[in-house]
Amino acid sequence: MIKLTPDLDVLSPIRDKPPYAIPDHILRAMLLTLARPTADAPEAIWTAIVQGALDELDTLDPRDAMEAMFAVQIIAANAGMVDALRIAFEADTDAKHALRQRASASALARALAVAARLLREQRGRPAGEARDWGDAVAGLASGWRAAAPRPAEAPRGAKAAAVDAEPIVRWIDELNDADLAVAVEEDRKEKAGEPPLPAGPGPKVVYRYKPDDYARRWKPDPRAWRVYPGWENMTLHQRREFFGYTYTGPLGPIEALSPAGQIAMLADQAEEAALVAEYGM
């Protein structure tokens, strides 16, 4: 038995299955799923990562094409899960991005378990006779190469993908507290000249106002820029002019006010009447 986890076993190959020579293109595809070290890492680190992946493949010991496919899926899922957990617990990873990485790791762990189960089931199948495809391989390869790609191939690499990806537009009123905190932190880092937050998976999300939003129609009142002298030193007429009160109808019934409000209203009216009598205002 080949032990993967305490709860996950993969049967050893049955004896009548001969060793399977894994094609180079499968090995290259497997290596492209591993987490890449930094560009300035020593050659020994690159070699150690490659050797480790090959050792894992040798431990799984696939004996046919299907077993090789499931073995590569196990190694790729494990590499992605470990890398996602590494990113989730880095010091500069924000809480929202860490939650996404942990969710990705959980999904990859489930995919690893499924691939191991399928490999275990494939182990129990007896070896069949090798089929001779004849000239079919060359003909299919040439026809595939001549056919137009569907869909059209996009430029490869993270930088090209980031440039070509269309941002997702959402409205300002759809912001939740977590998204708002991320947006505020991104704005602060940009103004302070600090490195931006790590980009999350998928296209960039841009928040905008709706076309008919009040914020698009709002214009600042020029009176708001004036110095406010203090309401204690302003008459009622000055307050109405300063704050732009336009209602000139009769006052509401004094009985609608609280007792304290009624006393304050009567005092204001008496003060206003005294000013009018003395200064003619």
Side-chain angles (χ1 to χ4, degrees):
M1 305 288 285
I2 299 175
K3 197 71 171 179
L4 292 180
T5 67
D7 301 321
L8 191 60
D9 295 335
V10 176
L11 297 175
S12 299
I14 59 180
R15 295 180 179 178
D16 60 342
K17 278 191 175 182
Y20 174 68
I22 303 177
D24 289 342
H25 71 275
I26 294 180
L27 297 177
R28 287 194 296 268
M30 179 189 68
L31 293 178
L32 292 177
T33 65
L34 305 178
R36 293 170 60 89
T38 58
D40 56 349
E43 185 68 24
I45 294 180
W46 292 83
T47 305
I49 293 175
V50 173
Q51 185 63 52
L54 294 178
D55 290 343
E56 293 174 0
L57 190 60
D58 185 42
T59 302
L60 293 171
D61 193 14
R63 294 301 180 94
D64 56 33
M66 291 297 293
E67 291 186 16
M69 179 181 70
F70 296 137
V72 169
Q73 290 177 8
I74 291 173
I75 296 171
N78 179 69
M81 179 179 61
V82 172
D83 192 54
L85 292 175
R86 177 190 62 80
I87 297 174
F89 293 105
E90 284 184 348
D92 57 348
T93 301
D94 61 276
K96 182 178 179 181
H97 192 46
L99 180 62
R100 290 177 178 175
Q101 294 296 332
R102 290 197 295 269
S104 298
S106 299
L108 288 168
R110 292 191 294 270
L112 188 153
V114 172
R117 176 176 58 82
L118 295 175
L119 177 58
R120 184 174 61 248
E121 295 175 357
Q122 184 66 22
R123 289 276 203 236
R125 298 172 182 260
E129 296 183 2
R131 182 176 284 105
D132 184 11
W133 294 103
D135 298 333
V137 176
L140 290 172
S142 61
W144 181 27
R145 183 177 183 181
R150 298 189 305 271
E153 292 186 1
R156 298 193 176 187
K159 184 177 293 185
V163 173
D164 295 341
E166 290 291 335
I168 299 176
V169 178
R170 294 180 181 172
W171 305 124
I172 291 291
D173 54 7
E174 296 177 357
L175 269 171
N176 54 37
D177 293 341
D179 294 334
L180 179 61
V182 173
V184 171
E185 181 64 14
E186 288 179 347
D187 183 68
R188 185 195 68 79
K189 284 180 171 290
E190 182 179 356
K191 292 180 179 179
E194 300 178 2
L197 294 173
K204 182 179 180 181
V205 179
V206 179
Y207 290 94
R208 296 176 180 172
Y209 289 103
K210 294 181 179 179
D212 56 346
D213 199 292
Y214 171 75
R216 295 183 180 273
R217 306 189 307 269
W218 181 82
K219 295 181 180 180
D221 191 340
R223 291 173 298 186
W225 300 100
R226 296 185 298 178
V227 179
Y228 179 55
W231 65 271
E232 302 90 345
N233 302 322
M234 300 173 68
T235 64
L236 180 61
H237 177 74
Q238 289 174 335
R239 296 176 198 169
R240 294 176 63 86
E241 189 276 333
F242 187 90
F243 293 106
Y245 298 151
T246 58
Y247 177 74
T248 57
L251 298 176
I254 191 173
E255 294 81 7
L257 300 176
S258 64
Q262 294 180 16
I263 295 174
M265 180 177 178
L266 292 175
D268 287 343
Q269 290 178 347
E271 180 182 358
E272 197 70 24
L275 291 174
V276 171
E278 184 173 356
Y279 299 105
M281 298 194 312

